[in-house]
Amino acid sequence: MNPQGKALARREKQIMDIIYRLGSATVSEVRRELANPPSYSAVRATLNVLEQKGHLSHQHHGKRYEYLPTVRKERASISALDHLISTFFDGSAEKVVVALMESRREDLSEDALNRLSLLIKEARKEGR
């Protein structure tokens, strides 16, 4: 979701993922990272749209623009997670945790299970 609450198009999401991963990027750097990249002009136009939507800002470096995210990755990931939970899990944290536990059971180390157990105990103490 963008700062105005509208979902991003597929290519816009891909570009935002690249910029978050790199920290900042020029048009050429974004094109290098895209599978089957569109033209330079098309990437530049998409970056301009993302800037207009409030996702990016830019800095001048000679003739080049370097694009930077306006929202920190952590905040953007929380917004995306909230959208995912409301869209696919009826807004239920329990359904998300159950789905993760069932699909990633083999990925959970003893430390991770202990952390999850501690979080559950703390939530019970808080009356949740």
Side-chain angles (χ1 to χ4, degrees), residues 9-117:
R10 181 183 59 83
R11 184 65 82 181
E12 291 172 339
K13 288 178 190 174
Q14 290 173 337
I15 289 173
M16 287 305 300
D17 288 345
I18 290 166
I19 291 177
Y20 275 124
R21 188 167 28 82
L22 298 178
S24 66
T26 63
V27 175
S28 297
E29 290 168 337
V30 169
R31 283 193 78 232
R32 243 191 326 267
E33 296 290 322
L34 286 169
N36 303 315
S39 70
Y40 183 94
S41 297
V43 172
R44 188 179 64 219
T46 304
L47 288 165
N48 288 335
V49 167
L50 287 166
E51 189 169 17
Q52 290 169 1
K53 289 182 175 182
H55 283 280
L56 297 175
S57 63
H58 72 269
Q59 297 176 346
H60 295 274
H61 290 284
K63 293 182 179 184
R64 298 181 312 147
Y65 281 9
E66 180 179 25
Y67 292 88
L68 303 106
T70 58
V71 176
R72 291 183 39 198
K73 185 176 183 177
E74 295 78 17
R75 186 168 150 226
S77 65
I78 288 170
S79 175
L81 183 59
D82 286 343
H83 178 69
L84 180 81
I85 292 169
S86 65
T87 302
F88 295 102
F89 297 96
D90 302 322
S92 169
E94 176 191 356
K95 288 180 181 179
V96 172
V97 172
V98 169
L100 285 171
M101 295 287 292
E102 288 175 350
S103 71
R104 302 290 180 154
R105 189 176 306 240
E106 67 279 352
D107 294 343
L108 294 171
S109 67
E110 192 62 34
D111 285 343
L113 291 170
N114 288 336
R115 265 194 323 276
L116 289 169
S117 180

